[in-house]
PDB file of all heavy atoms in Angstrom:
ATOM      1  N   ALA C1141      27.783   3.402   7.873  1.00 91.00           N
ATOM      2  CA  ALA C1141      27.924   4.852   7.878  1.00 91.00           C
ATOM      3  C   ALA C1141      26.848   5.477   6.994  1.00 91.00           C
ATOM      4  O   ALA C1141      26.295   6.531   7.334  1.00 91.00           O
ATOM      5  CB  ALA C1141      29.348   5.223   7.386  1.00 91.00           C
ATOM      6  N   ILE C1142      26.536   4.851   5.908  1.00 90.00           N
ATOM      7  CA  ILE C1142      25.474   5.317   4.966  1.00 90.00           C
ATOM      8  C   ILE C1142      24.153   5.234   5.721  1.00 90.00           C
ATOM      9  O   ILE C1142      23.361   6.230   5.675  1.00 90.00           O
ATOM     10  CB  ILE C1142      25.481   4.525   3.678  1.00 90.00           C
ATOM     11  CG1 ILE C1142      26.716   4.811   2.895  1.00 90.00           C
ATOM     12  CG2 ILE C1142      24.205   4.918   2.833  1.00 90.00           C
ATOM     13  CD1 ILE C1142      26.877   3.968   1.658  1.00 90.00           C
ATOM     14  N   ALA C1143      23.847   4.149   6.389  1.00 90.00           N
ATOM     15  CA  ALA C1143      22.621   4.028   7.177  1.00 90.00           C
ATOM     16  C   ALA C1143      22.526   5.058   8.247  1.00 90.00           C
ATOM     17  O   ALA C1143      21.474   5.659   8.474  1.00 90.00           O
ATOM     18  CB  ALA C1143      22.533   2.598   7.774  1.00 90.00           C
ATOM     19  N   ARG C1144      23.632   5.302   8.946  1.00 90.00           N
ATOM     20  CA  ARG C1144      23.614   6.403   9.959  1.00 90.00           C
ATOM     21  C   ARG C1144      23.437   7.795   9.372  1.00 90.00           C
ATOM     22  O   ARG C1144      22.719   8.589   9.945  1.00 90.00           O
ATOM     23  CB  ARG C1144      24.957   6.417  10.732  1.00 90.00           C
ATOM     24  CG  ARG C1144      24.950   5.747  12.099  1.00 90.00           C
ATOM     25  CD  ARG C1144      26.198   5.993  12.910  1.00 90.00           C
ATOM     26  NE  ARG C1144      27.468   6.020  12.191  1.00 90.00           N
ATOM     27  CZ  ARG C1144      28.184   4.949  11.867  1.00 90.00           C
ATOM     28  NH1 ARG C1144      27.738   3.795  12.163  1.00 90.00           N
ATOM     29  NH2 ARG C1144      29.287   5.078  11.170  1.00 90.00           N
ATOM     30  N   ALA C1145      23.981   8.036   8.172  1.00 88.00           N
ATOM     31  CA  ALA C1145      23.766   9.279   7.516  1.00 88.00           C
ATOM     32  C   ALA C1145      22.267   9.504   7.198  1.00 88.00           C
ATOM     33  O   ALA C1145      21.751  10.657   7.354  1.00 88.00           O
ATOM     34  CB  ALA C1145      24.624   9.342   6.242  1.00 88.00           C
ATOM     35  N   PHE C1146      21.572   8.443   6.803  1.00 85.00           N
ATOM     36  CA  PHE C1146      20.137   8.586   6.558  1.00 85.00           C
ATOM     37  C   PHE C1146      19.331   8.722   7.783  1.00 85.00           C
ATOM     38  O   PHE C1146      18.357   9.409   7.894  1.00 85.00           O
ATOM     39  CB  PHE C1146      19.670   7.419   5.672  1.00 85.00           C
ATOM     40  CG  PHE C1146      19.895   7.557   4.219  1.00 85.00           C
ATOM     41  CD1 PHE C1146      20.907   6.873   3.569  1.00 85.00           C
ATOM     42  CD2 PHE C1146      19.144   8.445   3.492  1.00 85.00           C
ATOM     43  CE1 PHE C1146      21.124   7.012   2.229  1.00 85.00           C
ATOM     44  CE2 PHE C1146      19.369   8.705   2.143  1.00 85.00           C
ATOM     45  CZ  PHE C1146      20.358   7.957   1.495  1.00 85.00           C
ATOM     46  N   GLU C1147      19.798   8.041   8.867  1.00 83.00           N
ATOM     47  CA  GLU C1147      19.071   8.158  10.146  1.00 83.00           C
ATOM     48  C   GLU C1147      19.200   9.531  10.793  1.00 83.00           C
ATOM     49  O   GLU C1147      18.309  10.024  11.437  1.00 83.00           O
ATOM     50  CB  GLU C1147      19.532   7.045  11.095  1.00 83.00           C
ATOM     51  CG  GLU C1147      19.113   5.650  10.762  1.00 83.00           C
ATOM     52  CD  GLU C1147      19.791   4.597  11.583  1.00 83.00           C
ATOM     53  OE1 GLU C1147      20.601   4.951  12.525  1.00 83.00           O
ATOM     54  OE2 GLU C1147      19.545   3.413  11.342  1.00 83.00           O
ATOM     55  N   GLU C1148      20.351  10.143  10.587  1.00 83.00           N
ATOM     56  CA  GLU C1148      20.637  11.429  11.214  1.00 83.00           C
ATOM     57  C   GLU C1148      20.532  12.575  10.246  1.00 83.00           C
ATOM     58  O   GLU C1148      21.124  13.623  10.371  1.00 83.00           O
ATOM     59  CB  GLU C1148      22.126  11.389  11.803  1.00 83.00           C
ATOM     60  CG  GLU C1148      22.266  10.339  12.894  1.00 83.00           C
ATOM     61  CD  GLU C1148      23.755  10.148  13.200  1.00 83.00           C
ATOM     62  OE1 GLU C1148      24.630  10.803  12.554  1.00 83.00           O
ATOM     63  OE2 GLU C1148      24.051   9.341  14.079  1.00 83.00           O
ATOM     64  N   LEU C1149      19.712  12.319   9.200  1.00 81.00           N
ATOM     65  CA  LEU C1149      19.559  13.332   8.138  1.00 81.00           C
ATOM     66  C   LEU C1149      18.945  14.622   8.650  1.00 81.00           C
ATOM     67  O   LEU C1149      17.896  14.672   9.329  1.00 81.00           O
ATOM     68  CB  LEU C1149      18.689  12.715   7.003  1.00 81.00           C
ATOM     69  CG  LEU C1149      18.600  13.515   5.720  1.00 81.00           C
ATOM     70  CD1 LEU C1149      19.962  13.664   5.099  1.00 81.00           C
ATOM     71  CD2 LEU C1149      17.661  12.894   4.782  1.00 81.00           C
ATOM     72  N   ASP C1150      19.616  15.733   8.437  1.00 81.00           N
ATOM     73  CA  ASP C1150      19.116  17.050   8.807  1.00 81.00           C
ATOM     74  C   ASP C1150      18.185  17.626   7.703  1.00 81.00           C
ATOM     75  O   ASP C1150      18.592  17.693   6.578  1.00 81.00           O
ATOM     76  CB  ASP C1150      20.310  17.949   9.044  1.00 81.00           C
ATOM     77  CG  ASP C1150      19.885  19.383   9.443  1.00 81.00           C
ATOM     78  OD1 ASP C1150      18.766  19.552   9.980  1.00 81.00           O
ATOM     79  OD2 ASP C1150      20.678  20.281   9.328  1.00 81.00           O
ATOM     80  N   PRO C1151      17.017  17.964   8.015  1.00 79.00           N
ATOM     81  CA  PRO C1151      16.073  18.451   6.980  1.00 79.00           C
ATOM     82  C   PRO C1151      16.584  19.763   6.296  1.00 79.00           C
ATOM     83  O   PRO C1151      16.211  20.147   5.253  1.00 79.00           O
ATOM     84  CB  PRO C1151      14.704  18.729   7.733  1.00 79.00           C
ATOM     85  CG  PRO C1151      14.945  18.456   9.126  1.00 79.00           C
ATOM     86  CD  PRO C1151      16.348  17.825   9.344  1.00 79.00           C
TER      87      PRO C1151
END
Side-chain angles (χ1 to χ4, degrees):
I1142 293 172
R1144 256 193 323 277
F1146 277 106
E1147 288 171 2
E1148 298 168 359
L1149 189 63
D1150 179 20

